[in-house]
Amino acid sequence: MSDTTHIPTLDDVARVAGVSTATVSRCLNEQQKVSAKTLERVMKTINDLGYTPNFNARAMAAKRTHTIGAIIPTMENAIFARGLQAFQETLHASGYNLLVSSSAYQPDLEAEQIRALVARGADGLLLIGYERGQDIYDYLQRRGVPTVLAWTSHPDGGHASVGFDNCAAMRMLADRVLAMGHRRIAVISGIVEGNDRAEGRLRGIRESLVAHGQDPDALPVIQTAYEIENGAAAFETLMAQDPRPTVVMCGNDVLAAGAISRAKHLGLAVPEDVSITGFDDIELASILHPTLTTVHVPHRDMGCIAAQELIDMVEKRSMGATRKLEVSLAMRESLRPVVEP
Amino acid sequence: MSDTTHIPTLDDVARVAGVSTATVSRCLNEQQKVSAKTLERVMKTINDLGYTPNFNARAMAAKRTHTIGAIIPTMENAIFARGLQAFQETLHASGYNLLVSSSAYQPDLEAEQIRALVARGADGLLLIGYERGQDIYDYLQRRGVPTVLAWTSHPDGGHASVGFDNCAAMRMLADRVLAMGHRRIAVISGIVEGNDRAEGRLRGIRESLVAHGQDPDALPVIQTAYEIENGAAAFETLMAQDPRPTVVMCGNDVLAAGAISRAKHLGLAVPEDVSITGFDDIELASILHPTLTTVHVPHRDMGCIAAQELIDMVEKRSMGATRKLEVSLAMRESLRPVVEP
DNA sequence: CTTACCTGTGTAAGCGCTTACAGTTGATTC
DNA sequence: GAATCAACTGTAAGCGCTTACACAGGTAAG
């Protein structure tokens, strides 16, 4: 046996089956255009030879890849896992494949990955949030790549998007916190720069303060990357103030998990000594001790709808709509009313 | 402005810059073969035109993609996140891109994705575990695709692999559990069928029991998919036995997190009423309450080494070695000695 | 018996790159 | 001054597919 094993091509199949390459191609892509007899013979040959179509050649000739690209800010924690899973499942059901990249919250890396996915021939793209350079939107438009923005709700509906209003959502939670009598609020926020979701959430708290006659500029805020350890460190810093905050509102559940963990180390009881809130309602939120009060985001719905929207744009060249989903509060143990002294 | 915007190709660049396509290609791939003057002019043209090379055409002509594929069983939880992140970073540093798919622990889906990645021209593959059909290994060999197996240590070193001995690792933990006086052990295992890691871990416990003169067949075991909720449900079932186990050993940290959460709901104190152990030492393990005693796996090292190994195999056509990493016990609060009655 | 049409198949022209090979030029050597 | 060579650059042949178009043969309609 020679070691120069030949990888079978469509030509090989055609030759062995005694038909033209066009017919083999039709057997693969448009079976109804081929007679039953020919189809059977060709399929048998394909099997015998162990032939697999070359994806790149296919993409090149057809100018279609049935591939959708998605770029998410991080894969390290579960923030996007559930939504992306639903996105993937919906795509798969319609015969599309998903290619995922992580941008590590770096705009230039995201730009690079967008170009890479487009260069690979992605039929459409899913991006998180709306805040990015106009040049990127121009590029996407020029290349004619349908794009859906998720996890956000674009202020002026210039783009197709599926998400929710981060600001209004967090404001709803802050309203509740204030209604419970909390007046000394501190915040652990994600990095706001270049992240419209984090910015919106923080703004929601400030707006709520204003509506309740509080001074938003007096609000203690620490911005930090979404990692458990960062949440823990920020919590400790915030609790060193005098007087201590009665509640620490976190930009997401991961930061909140860090805060709760550190509270325990510091000998602080949650919620007796200090209340803590999160955002996202990932699985983690309900197994923490205490269970975490947070904003519930319909991740699976978001993923499904985004996929449907994108497929529609790809196949019908439609414009793509703006879909706004409702969020709700998940009231659990980690938040409770201020006790009068 | 017409709406039939043309996407610039290498030909366009060549024409505008007044050189041949070969020269443009050289500017992109082997700059040292081009004169400084030509290079500058071509690069300027590329910029002016906003040209991006077509990945598929490139892959086709060069028969190289600088892309590595990885198929992991799940993206839903963080089990593989850290290792994969390290894998990705190491690849990136050497100019390779990573394509990730999730097989959802389904062997046939994994097979399908292997073919898909090979069809896309992946230069190499990372797979988790060694247990899969011989046909897949044959296929990979025939296509000449270098492959590294990770998260496992293949019994007979027929394949390149980077991992650890799941059986020995879990046995080490079980030895410790037994040394602490526990005799009523129960196990929440991952699904063993088609998962050599889960099988090895379970076997490790049994081997330890035998070594300590216990009957391995009397061990209560529940097999379930790696999800928090499943761990919780299994825990409740196991604790319904009479007499109750004094320790519940879990196949990984995710199951353990579910067990701890359910223990709280049932009013059982951990570790006072029952000890719980995990496996993997993901970030979650140290923020649980109580903190989780588990087996620490060097995920980052594993990812880095796997990447280096794979690149070496791709570029030097080397055979690929078998690398076995050491694991250690992370002794935390959730496990404690049995208290004499 | 034409004419028209439908079904199934083949021919061949690309898709946008890379690269072996073949020049062309100017500098260097004897 | 001819020969040699190095440094660039161009020509053109694919890479493995899809698909517009052409064509053959059979059926139905006039």
Side-chain angles (χ1 to χ4, degrees), chain B residues 20 22-23 26 34-35 38 60 63:
Chain B
S20 72
T23 298
R26 288 187 193 106
V34 175
S35 77
T38 310
M60 192 152 189
K63 296 176 175 306

Side-chain angles (χ1 to χ4, degrees), chain B residues 178 183-185 205-221:
Chain B
L178 284 159
R183 286 301 173 269
R184 294 202 303 279
I185 301 179
I205 297 176
R206 293 223 166 92
E207 285 186 5
S208 176
L209 287 175
V210 171
H212 286 75
Q214 306 271 324
D215 177 12
D217 295 330
L219 181 73
V221 175

